[in-house]
Amino acid sequence: MRAFFEAMFFAPRWYHYPLILIFFPLSVVYGIMMSVRRIVTSPKNFGIPIISVGNLIVGGSGKTPFVIELASRLKGVVIISRGYGRKSKGLVEVSSEGKILVDVTESGDEPMLMAQSLPGASVIVSEDRASAINLAKEKGAKCIILDDGFNRVEIEKFEIVLEPAQIKNYLPFPAGAFREFWFNKKYADIVAKEGETFHRQVECENLKPKMVLVTAISNPNRLDAYLPEGVVHKVYLEDHAYFEEEKLKMLLSDHEAQSLLVTEKDAVKMQDFKLPISEMKLKLEIKETIFTQVDEYIKGYPE
């Protein structure tokens, strides 16, 4: 069922369109509600530069590697994330200037990946973004990156919206993958389009002749373009799902594979597993103009 709806959202086939038509009125109502919310909400100024990296669609569009690349160029930066998939609640400090403070079950996979990748940054997860922003300010943050923050219209911020290279279904939820009407990208300060503003680069480490691909990311079919030779089987779990070591051992045995092929986001949840891992590492090549505009925003922010 999950695969059916992901296909309907990202690459619909003829048999998806009857359901899309049924959901279409709900999508219009939902889109209107989200647009009205933008118009009537007055964003709050928190007195600190806040850069939002978000998107209009549900699921992955490169936000995490984009945040990592951006944060690596900033000093005194604190990243604030919702922490989807974590087993904790409330506000949790994941890292402080690179020092990891919790495990991946408390942080969630993406915040942990950011924390491990950024020795000079701090990471906080919280459902309440305002509380996290205030804590970051108390701890001396110079600027904040709000992960997946485009729909947080109550916060005044510099908006970067990531746009996938190929979009086949422009409808809002539930008929499509969009969180609001696609033309609401006009509210962004920067629309970064994949293939133009930024490019994906995938490097694979510790490849083996026979591997089982195991991943818990949204729209996993997007990995197909980057898969190395040797993948003998694919296993897709729900986005942000956790893995069971014994089941992974059985997969290796059943398919006579020498390792598990996973993404970086998956690998942070397997760190304590005694299993052979091959890893797909995603990096983004981002146009320098993006960083220039962010620097100008931060420098021009009133003290």
Side-chain angles (χ1 to χ4, degrees), residues 90-200:
L91 188 152
V92 176
E93 288 188 75
V94 178
S95 69
S96 178
E97 297 180 349
K99 182 181 179 181
I100 307 298
L101 304 176
V102 298
D103 65 23
V104 69
T105 62
E106 293 181 82
S107 67
D109 47 18
E110 291 167 346
M112 181 56 71
L113 176 57
M114 290 187 281
Q116 292 181 354
S117 303
L118 295 163
S122 301
V123 179
I124 299 172
V125 293
S126 178
E127 297 89 349
D128 184 348
R129 306 296 179 90
S131 296
I133 292 170
N134 289 328
L135 176 62
K137 289 178 63 179
E138 289 173 14
K139 289 185 168 291
K142 301 299 182 184
C143 61
I144 289 170
I145 295 179
L146 201 61
D147 175 42
D148 197 15
F150 186 60
N151 65 333
R152 306 308 304 231
V153 297
E154 74 279 9
I155 300 171
E156 185 175 304
K157 54 199 183 296
F158 184 86
E159 301 277 15
I160 302 174
V161 168
L162 308 188
E163 188 173 78
Q166 293 182 339
I167 302 174
K168 297 181 180 179
N169 182 348
Y170 283 83
L171 293 174
F173 186 81
F178 277 74
R179 300 175 181 183
E180 49 192 295
F181 290 128
W182 66 271
F183 50 76
N184 278 358
K185 65 183 181 181
K186 67 183 179 183
Y187 292 104
D189 296 284
I190 297 174
V191 178
K193 187 173 178 61
E194 183 177 353
E196 296 178 10
T197 314
F198 68 95
H199 300 266
R200 295 175 185 256

Side-chain angles (χ1 to χ4, degrees), residues 54-280:
N55 59 2
L56 279 168
I57 63 170
V58 298
S61 61
K63 291 190 302 295
T64 299
F66 199 102
V67 167
I68 291 171
E69 187 63 32
L70 178 59
S72 69
R73 294 171 174 248
L74 300 175
K75 293 182 178 179
V77 62
V78 175
I79 299 166
I80 296 174
S81 174
R82 167 70 170 75
Y84 287 105
R86 62 190 173 113
K87 296 182 179 180
S88 62
K89 297 291 183 182
L91 188 152
V92 176
E93 288 188 75
V94 178
S95 69
S96 178
E97 297 180 349
K99 182 181 179 181
I100 307 298
L101 304 176
V102 298
D103 65 23
V104 69
T105 62
E106 293 181 82
S107 67
D109 47 18
E110 291 167 346
M112 181 56 71
L113 176 57
M114 290 187 281
Q116 292 181 354
S117 303
L118 295 163
S122 301
V123 179
I124 299 172
V125 293
S126 178
E127 297 89 349
D128 184 348
R129 306 296 179 90
S131 296
I133 292 170
N134 289 328
L135 176 62
K137 289 178 63 179
E138 289 173 14
K139 289 185 168 291
K142 301 299 182 184
C143 61
I144 289 170
I145 295 179
L146 201 61
D147 175 42
D148 197 15
F150 186 60
N151 65 333
R152 306 308 304 231
V153 297
E154 74 279 9
I155 300 171
E156 185 175 304
K157 54 199 183 296
F158 184 86
E159 301 277 15
I160 302 174
V161 168
L162 308 188
E163 188 173 78
Q166 293 182 339
I167 302 174
K168 297 181 180 179
N169 182 348
Y170 283 83
L171 293 174
F173 186 81
F178 277 74
R179 300 175 181 183
E180 49 192 295
F181 290 128
W182 66 271
F183 50 76
N184 278 358
K185 65 183 181 181
K186 67 183 179 183
Y187 292 104
D189 296 284
I190 297 174
V191 178
K193 187 173 178 61
E194 183 177 353
E196 296 178 10
T197 314
F198 68 95
H199 300 266
R200 295 175 185 256
Q201 295 179 332
V202 176
E203 297 179 358
C204 298
E205 294 184 353
N206 193 36
L207 295 180
K208 302 297 181 182
K210 294 180 70 175
M211 298 172 290
V212 174
L213 172 67
V214 180
T215 188
I217 65 172
S218 173
N219 189 23
N221 290 322
R222 59 195 162 105
L223 294 177
D224 288 349
Y226 307 102
L227 291 182
E229 294 183 359
V231 176
V232 295
H233 187 66
K234 300 176 184 179
V235 177
Y236 299 149
L237 281 69
E238 295 285 342
D239 193 16
H240 304 292
Y242 289 83
F243 305 97
E244 295 182 35
E245 187 172 6
E246 288 304 314
K247 288 186 177 180
L248 296 179
K249 283 182 181 178
M250 290 178 60
L251 275 173
L252 287 171
S253 177
D254 291 345
H255 297 279
E256 298 180 342
Q258 286 107 20
S259 70
L260 299 167
L261 180 63
V262 302
T263 69
E264 286 181 289
K265 176 178 162 179
D266 302 310
V268 296
K269 293 178 288 189
M270 299 181 183
Q271 288 180 331
D272 296 328
F273 291 1
K274 295 178 174 59
L275 296 171
I277 301 294
S278 304
E279 195 169 339
M280 300 176 67

Side-chain angles (χ1 to χ4, degrees), residues 45-50 156 296-303:
N45 186 318
F46 282 84
I48 187 171
I50 300 175
E156 185 175 304
E296 289 174 352
Y297 161 71
I298 293 174
K299 289 175 183 177
Y301 197 87
E303 296 290 338

